[in-house]
Amino acid sequence: MAERPYIVGNWKMHGTRAMLSEARAMDRAAQRHMKVEVAIAPPYTLIHPIHREAGQIGVGAQNCHFADGGAHTGDISAAMVADAGAKFVILGHSERRADHGESDAVVKAKVEAALEAGLRVILCCGESEKTRDAGRAVQHVKKQIKASLPDLEEAGEKLTIAYEPIWAIGTGKTATVDDIAEMHTEIRALMVDLFGEEQGSVIRILYGGSVKPENASEILTAPEVGGALVGGASLTADSFMSIALAADSPEL
Ligand code: 13P
């Protein structure tokens, strides 16, 4: 991994204030791994309390609306999560695409709104098992990314891509290192195509889907893997920071 590895925890719909102690422990441990950028995306309700206390870890949101405000009961704008202390937002996660019918066009509008609000974006993409079995995984993911990205003058630091094969999320199945390398290399080529060599080559591409302390080293050493987006294993400081430790290895 050429760039500073980025290890992000997606807490999904987990976490009450009782979890603040885990976030504190993550923050303390992150101070021992300064070569790794560690961040968590807790539920909205914990963004501000974690932001207030965190010295080292970044805090982000798992979603935001594309509108600035208005009659959208139960929704939250990019400016609101930024105001609560979020520095980034995860957009286009397959669970949101499935549970809330988010299309590529909706995700694209959200990416625009988030960047406008000064947030960094982690854009998720990934294929279903059916699409992979049909041999269309690469084609699907590239199409999804292109359709979910607005025209950006510059992307650089503001954009991260997370490749999360849907069949690997929460299932204990991970893609093989060869499959990860193939997909990440294709995504890298697309980034260079879209943003030019200088910017396209530094955009970080994370892998997500059943990343655990036991498989983190192998995944993180695959070509073009710039870090991990971690679900279940990000809920305790012990397991999450073991993954951060794997990213801090001198071989990477
Ligand atoms: P798991 O690590 O639980 O498979 O979740 C991955 C994910 O969806 C992160 O966004």
Side-chain angles (χ1 to χ4, degrees):
M1 261 184 304
E3 328 87 5
R4 191 174 175 220
Y6 193 21
I7 305 295
V8 184
N10 173 8
W11 282 10
K12 308 191 178 184
M13 200 168 72
H14 299 286
T16 58
R17 284 179 298 160
M19 287 263 296
L20 291 175
S21 55
E22 293 298 327
R24 272 179 217 122
M26 290 173 190
D27 194 49
R28 280 194 303 273
Q31 293 174 23
R32 296 194 294 274
H33 303 294
M34 304 287 275
K35 280 196 306 205
V36 182
E37 184 173 354
V38 180
I40 51 175
Y44 302 125
T45 48
L46 296 182
I47 291 174
H48 192 244
I50 294 176
H51 158 73
R52 251 192 356 213
E53 292 188 20
Q56 186 60 32
I57 55 172
V59 188
Q62 301 169 19
N63 173 47
C64 66
H65 199 276
F66 53 77
D68 291 343
H72 301 289
T73 302
D75 276 312
I76 193 155
S77 73
M80 288 170 186
V81 295
D83 183 55
K87 295 289 183 283
F88 70 94
V89 59
I90 298 171
L91 293 173
H93 193 283
S94 59
E95 286 154 13
R96 293 219 47 99
R97 292 179 190 259
D99 296 355
H100 299 272
E102 287 186 10
S103 62
D104 291 338
V106 166
V107 174
K108 178 176 173 175
K110 290 182 176 206
V111 173
E112 254 170 340
L115 293 172
E116 185 70 24
L119 294 168
R120 287 161 67 191
V121 168
I122 298 179
L123 174 67
C124 300
C125 58
E127 80 287 356
S128 65
E129 193 151 34
K130 202 168 145 213
T131 303
R132 174 154 290 271
D133 289 347
R136 290 190 295 105
V138 168
Q139 187 191 336
H140 172 85
V141 164
K142 286 171 98 167
K143 187 162 164 265
Q144 199 177 33
I145 296 174
K146 277 196 256 180
S148 305
L149 274 180
D151 281 339
L152 301 174
E153 271 174 31
E154 46 148 351
E157 280 273 287
K158 292 186 201 157
L159 180 67
T160 297
I161 304 289
Y163 168 57
E164 301 202 303
I166 297 168
W167 47 270
I169 296 177
T171 57
K173 295 189 215 170
T174 46
T176 65
V177 169
D178 284 351
D179 287 343
I180 297 174
E182 183 201 14
M183 186 63 84
H184 280 236
T185 304
E186 293 280 353
I187 296 173
R188 172 67 64 216
L190 176 62
M191 292 299 107
V192 169
D193 233 31
L194 293 175
F195 301 109
E197 182 67 36
E198 200 180 324
Q199 286 189 53
S201 59
V202 297
I203 291 171
R204 285 182 294 197
I205 308 168
L206 314 183
Y207 171 79
S210 297
V211 178
K212 307 271 179 264
E214 306 80 57
N215 60 21
S217 293
E218 195 189 8
I219 291 169
L220 291 168
T221 44
E224 300 296 353
V225 173
L229 183 55
V230 186
S234 72
L235 295 174
T236 66
D238 254 11
S239 62
F240 188 49
M241 295 315 292
S242 303
I243 295 169
L245 176 68
D248 201 7
S249 134
E251 299 146 40
L252 298 178

PDB file of all heavy atoms in Angstrom, residues 104-119:
ATOM      1  N   ASP A 104     -28.325   4.524  -8.465  1.00  0.00           N
ATOM      2  CA  ASP A 104     -27.068   5.226  -8.732  1.00  0.00           C
ATOM      3  C   ASP A 104     -27.308   6.734  -8.820  1.00  0.00           C
ATOM      4  O   ASP A 104     -26.478   7.528  -8.358  1.00  0.00           O
ATOM      5  CB  ASP A 104     -26.448   4.736 -10.056  1.00  0.00           C
ATOM      6  CG  ASP A 104     -25.933   3.305  -9.961  1.00  0.00           C
ATOM      7  OD1 ASP A 104     -25.668   2.834  -8.848  1.00  0.00           O
ATOM      8  OD2 ASP A 104     -25.802   2.667 -11.021  1.00  0.00           O
ATOM      9  N   ALA A 105     -28.437   7.117  -9.412  1.00  0.00           N
ATOM     10  CA  ALA A 105     -28.725   8.558  -9.579  1.00  0.00           C
ATOM     11  C   ALA A 105     -28.896   9.239  -8.215  1.00  0.00           C
ATOM     12  O   ALA A 105     -28.421  10.371  -8.005  1.00  0.00           O
ATOM     13  CB  ALA A 105     -29.970   8.750 -10.431  1.00  0.00           C
ATOM     14  N   VAL A 106     -29.554   8.549  -7.287  1.00  0.00           N
ATOM     15  CA  VAL A 106     -29.734   9.103  -5.937  1.00  0.00           C
ATOM     16  C   VAL A 106     -28.378   9.196  -5.236  1.00  0.00           C
ATOM     17  O   VAL A 106     -28.046  10.211  -4.613  1.00  0.00           O
ATOM     18  CB  VAL A 106     -30.733   8.231  -5.117  1.00  0.00           C
ATOM     19  CG1 VAL A 106     -30.681   8.557  -3.637  1.00  0.00           C
ATOM     20  CG2 VAL A 106     -32.146   8.406  -5.650  1.00  0.00           C
ATOM     21  N   VAL A 107     -27.581   8.150  -5.379  1.00  0.00           N
ATOM     22  CA  VAL A 107     -26.259   8.156  -4.739  1.00  0.00           C
ATOM     23  C   VAL A 107     -25.424   9.313  -5.294  1.00  0.00           C
ATOM     24  O   VAL A 107     -24.757  10.034  -4.543  1.00  0.00           O
ATOM     25  CB  VAL A 107     -25.545   6.791  -4.943  1.00  0.00           C
ATOM     26  CG1 VAL A 107     -24.123   6.838  -4.403  1.00  0.00           C
ATOM     27  CG2 VAL A 107     -26.335   5.666  -4.270  1.00  0.00           C
ATOM     28  N   LYS A 108     -25.511   9.513  -6.591  1.00  0.00           N
ATOM     29  CA  LYS A 108     -24.751  10.598  -7.224  1.00  0.00           C
ATOM     30  C   LYS A 108     -25.162  11.965  -6.640  1.00  0.00           C
ATOM     31  O   LYS A 108     -24.308  12.804  -6.328  1.00  0.00           O
ATOM     32  CB  LYS A 108     -25.030  10.558  -8.731  1.00  0.00           C
ATOM     33  CG  LYS A 108     -24.384  11.616  -9.548  1.00  0.00           C
ATOM     34  CD  LYS A 108     -24.705  11.345 -11.026  1.00  0.00           C
ATOM     35  CE  LYS A 108     -24.235  12.469 -11.906  1.00  0.00           C
ATOM     36  NZ  LYS A 108     -24.453  12.146 -13.326  1.00  0.00           N
ATOM     37  N   ALA A 109     -26.461  12.153  -6.462  1.00  0.00           N
ATOM     38  CA  ALA A 109     -26.938  13.422  -5.890  1.00  0.00           C
ATOM     39  C   ALA A 109     -26.435  13.582  -4.454  1.00  0.00           C
ATOM     40  O   ALA A 109     -26.097  14.691  -4.006  1.00  0.00           O
ATOM     41  CB  ALA A 109     -28.466  13.466  -5.941  1.00  0.00           C
ATOM     42  N   LYS A 110     -26.357  12.472  -3.738  1.00  0.00           N
ATOM     43  CA  LYS A 110     -25.854  12.525  -2.358  1.00  0.00           C
ATOM     44  C   LYS A 110     -24.361  12.851  -2.330  1.00  0.00           C
ATOM     45  O   LYS A 110     -23.895  13.583  -1.465  1.00  0.00           O
ATOM     46  CB  LYS A 110     -26.107  11.181  -1.658  1.00  0.00           C
ATOM     47  CG  LYS A 110     -27.571  10.918  -1.369  1.00  0.00           C
ATOM     48  CD  LYS A 110     -27.752   9.600  -0.643  1.00  0.00           C
ATOM     49  CE  LYS A 110     -29.230   9.421  -0.294  1.00  0.00           C
ATOM     50  NZ  LYS A 110     -29.438   8.576   0.869  1.00  0.00           N
ATOM     51  N   VAL A 111     -23.624  12.280  -3.268  1.00  0.00           N
ATOM     52  CA  VAL A 111     -22.176  12.557  -3.321  1.00  0.00           C
ATOM     53  C   VAL A 111     -21.978  14.058  -3.548  1.00  0.00           C
ATOM     54  O   VAL A 111     -21.164  14.707  -2.874  1.00  0.00           O
ATOM     55  CB  VAL A 111     -21.478  11.727  -4.439  1.00  0.00           C
ATOM     56  CG1 VAL A 111     -20.022  12.153  -4.601  1.00  0.00           C
ATOM     57  CG2 VAL A 111     -21.568  10.230  -4.152  1.00  0.00           C
ATOM     58  N   GLU A 112     -22.764  14.601  -4.465  1.00  0.00           N
ATOM     59  CA  GLU A 112     -22.658  16.035  -4.754  1.00  0.00           C
ATOM     60  C   GLU A 112     -22.951  16.861  -3.500  1.00  0.00           C
ATOM     61  O   GLU A 112     -22.210  17.787  -3.163  1.00  0.00           O
ATOM     62  CB  GLU A 112     -23.688  16.410  -5.836  1.00  0.00           C
ATOM     63  CG  GLU A 112     -23.045  16.640  -7.155  1.00  0.00           C
ATOM     64  CD  GLU A 112     -24.045  16.778  -8.297  1.00  0.00           C
ATOM     65  OE1 GLU A 112     -25.215  16.340  -8.180  1.00  0.00           O
ATOM     66  OE2 GLU A 112     -23.627  17.335  -9.317  1.00  0.00           O
ATOM     67  N   ALA A 113     -24.037  16.509  -2.807  1.00  0.00           N
ATOM     68  CA  ALA A 113     -24.440  17.265  -1.612  1.00  0.00           C
ATOM     69  C   ALA A 113     -23.386  17.155  -0.515  1.00  0.00           C
ATOM     70  O   ALA A 113     -23.073  18.136   0.175  1.00  0.00           O
ATOM     71  CB  ALA A 113     -25.790  16.745  -1.105  1.00  0.00           C
ATOM     72  N   ALA A 114     -22.828  15.975  -0.368  1.00  0.00           N
ATOM     73  CA  ALA A 114     -21.836  15.756   0.695  1.00  0.00           C
ATOM     74  C   ALA A 114     -20.577  16.583   0.433  1.00  0.00           C
ATOM     75  O   ALA A 114     -20.051  17.247   1.342  1.00  0.00           O
ATOM     76  CB  ALA A 114     -21.496  14.274   0.786  1.00  0.00           C
ATOM     77  N   LEU A 115     -20.108  16.561  -0.802  1.00  0.00           N
ATOM     78  CA  LEU A 115     -18.888  17.318  -1.123  1.00  0.00           C
ATOM     79  C   LEU A 115     -19.139  18.812  -0.957  1.00  0.00           C
ATOM     80  O   LEU A 115     -18.283  19.554  -0.457  1.00  0.00           O
ATOM     81  CB  LEU A 115     -18.417  16.990  -2.548  1.00  0.00           C
ATOM     82  CG  LEU A 115     -17.925  15.549  -2.768  1.00  0.00           C
ATOM     83  CD1 LEU A 115     -17.668  15.297  -4.246  1.00  0.00           C
ATOM     84  CD2 LEU A 115     -16.668  15.250  -1.951  1.00  0.00           C
ATOM     85  N   GLU A 116     -20.318  19.219  -1.360  1.00  0.00           N
ATOM     86  CA  GLU A 116     -20.719  20.625  -1.219  1.00  0.00           C
ATOM     87  C   GLU A 116     -20.677  21.053   0.259  1.00  0.00           C
ATOM     88  O   GLU A 116     -20.300  22.174   0.588  1.00  0.00           O
ATOM     89  CB  GLU A 116     -22.153  20.746  -1.775  1.00  0.00           C
ATOM     90  CG  GLU A 116     -22.743  22.121  -1.836  1.00  0.00           C
ATOM     91  CD  GLU A 116     -22.073  22.995  -2.895  1.00  0.00           C
ATOM     92  OE1 GLU A 116     -21.481  22.454  -3.866  1.00  0.00           O
ATOM     93  OE2 GLU A 116     -22.143  24.204  -2.717  1.00  0.00           O
ATOM     94  N   ALA A 117     -21.043  20.127   1.148  1.00  0.00           N
ATOM     95  CA  ALA A 117     -21.049  20.423   2.588  1.00  0.00           C
ATOM     96  C   ALA A 117     -19.659  20.270   3.203  1.00  0.00           C
ATOM     97  O   ALA A 117     -19.491  20.396   4.420  1.00  0.00           O
ATOM     98  CB  ALA A 117     -22.043  19.502   3.299  1.00  0.00           C
ATOM     99  N   GLY A 118     -18.668  19.952   2.375  1.00  0.00           N
ATOM    100  CA  GLY A 118     -17.295  19.855   2.884  1.00  0.00           C
ATOM    101  C   GLY A 118     -16.942  18.502   3.466  1.00  0.00           C
ATOM    102  O   GLY A 118     -15.928  18.354   4.143  1.00  0.00           O
ATOM    103  N   LEU A 119     -17.786  17.505   3.212  1.00  0.00           N
ATOM    104  CA  LEU A 119     -17.487  16.163   3.721  1.00  0.00           C
ATOM    105  C   LEU A 119     -16.649  15.387   2.710  1.00  0.00           C
ATOM    106  O   LEU A 119     -16.793  15.589   1.501  1.00  0.00           O
ATOM    107  CB  LEU A 119     -18.798  15.384   3.951  1.00  0.00           C
ATOM    108  CG  LEU A 119     -19.721  15.917   5.034  1.00  0.00           C
ATOM    109  CD1 LEU A 119     -21.086  15.240   4.927  1.00  0.00           C
ATOM    110  CD2 LEU A 119     -19.127  15.665   6.420  1.00  0.00           C
TER     111      LEU A 119
END
